[in-house]
Amino acid sequence: MTSITLDKVIVDFPIYNSSHRSLRNALVQVATGGLIGEREDGRVVIRALDNINLSLADGDRLGIVGHNGSGKTTLLRVLSGVYHPPYGTVRVDGAVTALLNVSLGTDAEATGRENIRLRGAMLGMSARDIEKVTDEIAEFTELGNFLDVPVRAYSSGMQLRLTFAIATALRPEILLLDEWLSVGDEGFRAKAERRLNEMIESTRILVLASHSKELIARMCNRVLWLEHGRVRMDGDSATIVRSYFGASS
Amino acid sequence: MNFGAQQGPVEIATADIVAGLRGYRLPALLGWYDVKLRYRRSTLGPFWLTISMAVMIGAMALVFGQIFGQPLADFLPFLCAGLIVWGFIAAMLTEGCMSFISADYIIKELPLPLFSHILRVYFRNTLILLHNIIILPIVLLAFGKGFPLTSLLSLVGFVLVSLNLLWMALLTSVLCTRYRDMPPIISNVVQIGFYLTPIIWPPHLLPGRASLIVDLNPLAHIVAVVRDPLLGQMPTTLNWTVTFAIAIVGWAVTIVFYGSYKRRIAYWL
């Protein structure tokens, strides 16, 4: 069973300005005494997520909406295991893949084929898996011999094709997407959409953060509306899309 | 994945380190590409590392051999082995402490074991060490010296030194990620360590009492267990004991420290 349960999750970001980030100050703090114990003293903390409760099961397609800075990406990072919340509990059963930054780890000096290998390995694919998907990626991207050329020589559209194809080669149980993966080229777009849909259909749980009304309405059966790190509304997508996009436009 | 369950620091740290070691393939691949891609467009590629090291050794041997009045046949192999070993140690300390900072884009994106990023730096520098070590047999041959059998012992020394460098890199990485004044401090310490450690100066040149500089300097022992066997000398029992003891104590402290702060590292980046 794939499932996600968040219980009273709180995430605080300590903000270190230059004076707080230096060792000198910590030493002074210790040396002067009196300030020990006041943990919040003079330290700016941003509460990125405040008391989030969430439970997702097989078949859930959750959309996350909210303004910039409302905590969408932070929530995705909590779900992916990058951020360990200091308060509350997170339980995730199932293999998670987070595609927050599609071009992660793309090296301009490496060839297309090498980039497939590097990025594939980072996403946890074995050497054999990578070999298997390489041909499939080559075919899908239509890059042909370009795969043996350093990515530096690619057009931005070609780079996008490559990173998109690598990212969508996986079949995770839980997929976290920050914004829709889009591939510029008109002729290629339909093909890319189809591939992305295939990927999403095969995942058991999808969590998608997006600003697109049309996309959220089409892809999700449930929507979480975040505001200042809190859940403003949580419910079926039609209702939330109406209140969120109705309210903001 | 289950966050929120109560786990002690030791549990957190060992789980991460074990997971990092199990998935050694990824940091090995990344470390390999670090070296490969850096020299992609040059003809000699990573052998530029070897060449620049060889040039430095040659230049320093000329100057310091004269200053110290040492016969080149003894001094050059000594300097060569010392500089190569030191190059590895210094890089592991100065680059090692930046392991998390330089991998911030990966850490914020993928929940890999954080120890993987330390291993990446370790693999990269081991690979560079392998490029540099080629110089030593050439120097030994040039002076008509054979390959000393004790060299095999330096492999044992290398394992012990690696254990030490890994905890040092892990511990300083946590500190450097939190306190951004730490990296320059560490490069300063490494710089001073270079002068205080017998690498360019042979330890027997120190006058009597000053030999404490060597005995009390942990880096001197760490260098000795790898370098001395390469030169056909047995490291002293003190060398072995100190290196071993630092590894044990260092790891014990690091595991508790790392486990206490591991979960905050992503927030510091």
Side-chain angles (χ1 to χ4, degrees), chain A residues 116 125 128-138 169-170:
Chain A
I116 296 175
M125 295 166 94
R128 197 181 302 155
D129 289 344
I130 293 170
E131 211 161 299
K132 234 185 280 170
V133 298
T134 303
D135 293 337
E136 185 248 333
I137 289 173
L170 292 156

Side-chain angles (χ1 to χ4, degrees), chain A residues 21-22 80 84 90-91 101, chain B residues 2-3 109 111 181 267-268:
Chain A
R21 210 156 201 177
S22 75
S80 76
H84 191 290
V90 178
R91 218 194 135 78
N101 168 11
Chain B
N2 191 352
F3 283 176
E109 180 83 19
D181 290 328
Y267 294 106
W268 291 339

Side-chain angles (χ1 to χ4, degrees), chain A residues 11-13 16 20-23 26 43 77 79-86 88-92 100-101 104 107 109-110 114 117-118 121-123 152, chain B residues 1-5 7 26 29-30 32-33 36-37 40-41 105-112 120 177-182 185 263-264 266-269:
Chain A
V11 170
D12 286 334
F13 275 96
Y16 303 104
H20 276 108
R21 210 156 201 177
S22 75
L23 186 61
R43 188 159 295 167
R77 284 187 178 150
L79 294 175
S80 76
V82 164
Y83 286 152
H84 191 290
T89 54
V90 178
R91 218 194 135 78
V92 176
L100 308 186
N101 168 11
L104 169 82
D107 196 305
E109 286 301 323
E114 286 169 334
R117 205 170 153 210
L118 284 168
M122 279 198 218
L123 289 170
R152 181 167 39 82
Chain B
M1 186 175 75
N2 191 352
F3 283 176
Q7 276 180 307
L26 176 63
L29 184 74
L30 293 174
W32 170 267
Y33 272 93
K36 188 175 173 184
L37 296 178
R40 160 92 3 132
R41 295 173 77 176
Y105 66 100
I106 303 178
I107 293 176
K108 283 202 257 184
E109 180 83 19
L110 297 172
L112 297 173
R120 173 188 189 164
T177 312
R178 174 64 184 80
Y179 298 103
R180 300 299 168 104
D181 290 328
M182 283 296 285
I185 295 178
R263 293 175 170 178
R264 298 204 209 155
Y267 294 106
W268 291 339
L269 288 167

